[in-house]
Amino acid sequence: MSNQLELYDITIIGGGPAGLYTAFYSGMRELKTKIIEAQDQLGGRMLLYPEKIVWDVGGVPPIRAEKLLKQIIEQGMTFEPTLVMGEQIVGLDRQEDGTFILTAASGQLHHTRAVIMACGYGIRKLAKLEIEGADRYEVTNLYYTVQNLETFRGKRVLISGGGDSAVDWANELEKVAASVTVVHRRDSFGGLERNVTMMKESSVDVRTPYALHALHSLDGKMIGQVSIKHIETEEEIRLDVDAVIVNHGMRSDFGPIREWGFDMGEWKANVSPKMETNIAGVFGAGDFVGHDSKVGLIAGTFTDAIVALNSAKVYLDPEANPYAYVSSHNDRFKEKNKLLEVNG
């Protein structure tokens, strides 16, 4: 069967920032590359917060996530990797010659010499608000992500949650909303310390330790008020709102990946400093992996991708240079540089 399939050097499972940068670097190292993404869009978690301002990518000034993602995708496509969208990989099988057959849920097969796992936390779904009847407001003014800040201009907004996205949304919405209230079960917040401080020093009304307890509609269609309850005293307070945003994290499902034999914890696969999993020929990058020097930022994801790809290159060719030449000395960029000079 494998003889009938096109053989790739590298197959990347996941089309978020880690997978896309891995594909770019794979092209730099002249490897035949394929990306397989389970969703219908490239971008991974970044698709959830397009309006978020990203400050912490080296050499890039503050930029909206949607614009940064567009640039990451464009960079990832530099060397024209093969793209397979909307296909979840459910099987990994090593062949007698050491190559791998990847099996998709659709039955489609993919043949590759090495695999790089860049699938984040697996198939992710937003954690829904666990209040009876909440789902009926999802078509009006109950939100699980912020796609457009203008949707909330001049409105009284309540955010339930304390993760980095909740903090970032509060800081962004404070500029356009009539008011912003953040309700969180704990006194401590996730996210960068500077962003948390910015939120607390702004006009954002921070209520801790409170939890969103009930939704109240004035017309049967939209939420007009909410009840929040103090975690310790159980005191209840009613607040008038025009919009409710819920950021209670994600529900993740690795599915059959857990059955492939990886050394995995609850959320991440353990890898060596070279991004090697415990399965020879399979490497990892991004949110999928955990290691002693892990940096949970997009910038750290790029480093994971570089190390994983370089390790895969040496796995495929033990005589290969363990590192790629810098772009200014890499022959793969000569023609592209000429095009930029002509068009620039």
Side-chain angles (χ1 to χ4, degrees):
M1 176 67 73
S2 61
N3 292 333
Q4 302 171 16
L5 298 172
E6 187 174 2
L7 178 63
Y8 284 79
D9 295 316
I10 299 289
T11 296
I12 302 161
I13 300 178
L20 289 163
Y21 197 72
T22 302
F24 167 73
Y25 218 77
S26 187
M28 284 182 65
R29 306 226 59 183
E30 299 187 277
L31 295 170
K32 186 176 180 180
T33 309
K34 177 187 285 185
I35 300 175
I36 304 176
E37 166 57 45
Q39 306 299 323
D40 294 325
Q41 286 180 277
L42 294 170
R45 287 181 65 192
M46 289 188 71
L47 293 170
L48 298 176
Y49 46 86
E51 293 280 351
K52 178 179 178 179
I53 303 297
V54 180
W55 288 74
D56 50 11
V57 177
V60 178
I63 183 173
R64 291 204 180 278
E66 59 183 349
K67 184 176 180 181
L68 177 60
L69 178 55
K70 182 179 179 181
Q71 294 176 182
I72 293 173
I73 292 173
E74 182 178 348
Q75 183 183 50
M77 297 300 105
T78 299
F79 299 105
E80 301 178 347
T82 296
L83 271 180
V84 179
M85 304 298 296
E87 193 146 283
Q88 182 186 5
I89 299 301
V90 297
L92 170 76
D93 298 289
R94 187 187 298 278
Q95 306 301 289
E96 291 183 2
D97 62 359
T99 62
F100 296 92
I101 294 293
L102 300 172
T103 304
S106 65
Q108 185 69 38
L109 302 178
H110 304 272
H111 194 196
T112 187
R113 299 175 65 204
V115 177
I116 295 182
M117 303 293 295
C119 56
Y121 301 102
I123 303 298
R124 294 171 61 83
K125 295 182 180 179
L126 291 165
K128 294 298 186 76
L129 183 61
E130 295 180 355
I131 292 178
E132 185 176 355
D135 55 340
R136 71 174 180 268
Y137 299 115
E138 292 178 14
V139 296
T140 54
N141 62 341
L142 175 61
Y143 303 85
Y144 289 97
T145 185
V146 175
Q147 296 290 329
N148 187 344
L149 292 177
E150 289 300 313
T151 301
F152 305 94
R153 181 171 292 279
K155 295 183 178 180
R156 297 165 297 182
V157 180
L158 181 134
I159 300 174
S160 177
D164 55 353
S165 292
V167 173
D168 290 339
W169 291 341
N171 286 330
E172 291 302 309
L173 289 168
E174 191 262 348
K175 304 169 188 174
V176 300
S179 65
V180 177
T181 301
V182 174
V183 176
H184 185 38
R185 300 177 64 88
R186 293 179 290 278
D187 292 325
S188 60
F189 285 82
L192 297 175
E193 291 90 342
R194 176 58 189 146
N195 293 343
V196 174
T197 299
M198 186 186 308
M199 176 184 71
K200 291 182 175 180
E201 292 180 348
S202 72
S203 66
V204 174
D205 181 11
V206 178
R207 305 284 186 111
T208 62
Y210 279 90
L212 187 56
H213 180 63
L215 309 176
H216 309 287
S217 176
L218 304 181
D219 61 3
K221 298 179 181 179
M222 300 182 68
I223 305 166
Q225 293 182 327
V226 300
S227 291
I228 62 174
K229 180 183 283 190
H230 195 280
I231 297 300
E232 298 168 357
T233 67
E234 296 192 348
E235 170 200 22
E236 284 194 35
I237 300 174
R238 274 209 184 198
L239 301 172
D240 295 325
V241 298
D242 299 309
V244 175
I245 302 170
V246 175
N247 178 236
H248 291 177
M250 307 290 292
R251 297 288 183 264
S252 299
D253 183 8
F254 285 110
I257 288 175
R258 287 197 176 275
E259 301 170 8
W260 295 0
F262 290 120
D263 175 16
M264 292 188 69
E266 183 178 2
W267 300 111
K268 298 179 183 294
N270 297 313
V271 294
S272 75
K274 295 182 179 181
M275 300 300 119
E276 302 159 310
T277 72
N278 59 306
I279 300 175
V282 181
F283 307 83
D287 288 334
F288 180 72
V289 303
H291 52 86
D292 290 343
S293 300
K294 182 67 180 177
V295 177
L297 301 171
I298 294 176
T301 285
F302 297 154
T303 300
D304 284 351
I306 293 170
V307 175
L309 195 283
N310 282 335
S311 296
K313 175 72 174 183
V314 174
Y315 168 81
L316 296 175
D317 178 8
E319 301 301 318
N321 192 315
Y323 305 102
Y325 291 112
V326 296
S327 60
S328 57
H329 294 90
N330 192 306
D331 289 341
R332 299 225 72 184
F333 290 100
K334 286 184 177 179
E335 291 302 318
K336 295 182 182 298
N337 287 340
K338 290 177 182 178
L339 289 173
L340 289 174
E341 291 168 1
V342 170
N343 296 326

